[in-house]
Amino acid sequence: MTTDLFIRTYHADLPWLAWCLKSIHRHCTGFNQIVITIPKGQEHLLASWNLTQERVLPVSEIMSGYMAQQDTKLHADQYCLSDYICHVDSDCVFKTGTTPESFFRNSRPLMLMTPYS
């Protein structure tokens, strides 16, 4: 069983992404790959970051703003190669050791739910 970390970002989130990636490198182990998607035309903004452990993929947008982000996330399976995908937003940071198993119980993915009531 393999799990990718998937991040959809854009130019305004890059300051947050820097902290997110630092926390991933410090606290996350056992993930297959870190996949970062960014709108086409913005990928040059990551060129100076010298990313070596991440796969940066420019994506075409048929919508804009929040809807474009959601569209990319819904198609994460087209960018990731693993059995499972862990979605991470640019403004998320990991504070403790995290592995793919952190999101599974008895070899099954956790489905967190809050009752509507």
Side-chain angles (χ1 to χ4, degrees), residues 29-84:
T29 58
F31 290 91
N32 186 46
Q33 62 180 344
I34 303 164
V35 177
I36 302 171
T37 57
I38 190 165
K40 276 189 180 171
Q42 296 181 23
E43 64 272 17
H44 71 280
L45 299 172
L46 294 175
S48 65
W49 290 33
N50 298 317
L51 300 175
T52 58
Q53 299 177 31
E54 300 81 4
R55 226 172 100 221
V56 177
L57 302 172
V59 294
S60 299
E61 292 186 317
I62 55 174
M63 301 167 226
S64 61
Y66 181 74
M67 292 305 291
Q69 177 193 62
Q70 295 305 303
D71 180 63
T72 302
K73 289 178 178 181
L74 287 171
H75 291 97
D77 63 303
Q78 296 175 7
Y79 308 109
C80 296
L81 306 173
S82 289
D83 302 316
Y84 293 95

Side-chain angles (χ1 to χ4, degrees), residues 7 10 13 20 24 28 31 43 48 54 57-58 60 81 92 102-103 109 113-114:
I7 304 170
Y10 79 120
D13 281 346
C20 176
I24 289 171
C28 295
F31 290 91
E43 64 272 17
S48 65
E54 300 81 4
L57 302 172
S60 299
L81 306 173
C92 293
S102 303
F103 304 101
M113 183 190 94
T114 302

Side-chain angles (χ1 to χ4, degrees), residues 2-29:
T2 58
T3 304
D4 286 345
L5 291 173
F6 180 83
I7 304 170
R8 173 26 163 107
T9 196
Y10 79 120
H11 68 91
D13 281 346
L14 296 186
W16 295 108
L17 179 64
W19 290 105
C20 176
L21 291 175
K22 285 179 185 181
S23 75
I24 289 171
H25 295 300
R26 177 176 284 176
H27 297 292
C28 295
T29 58

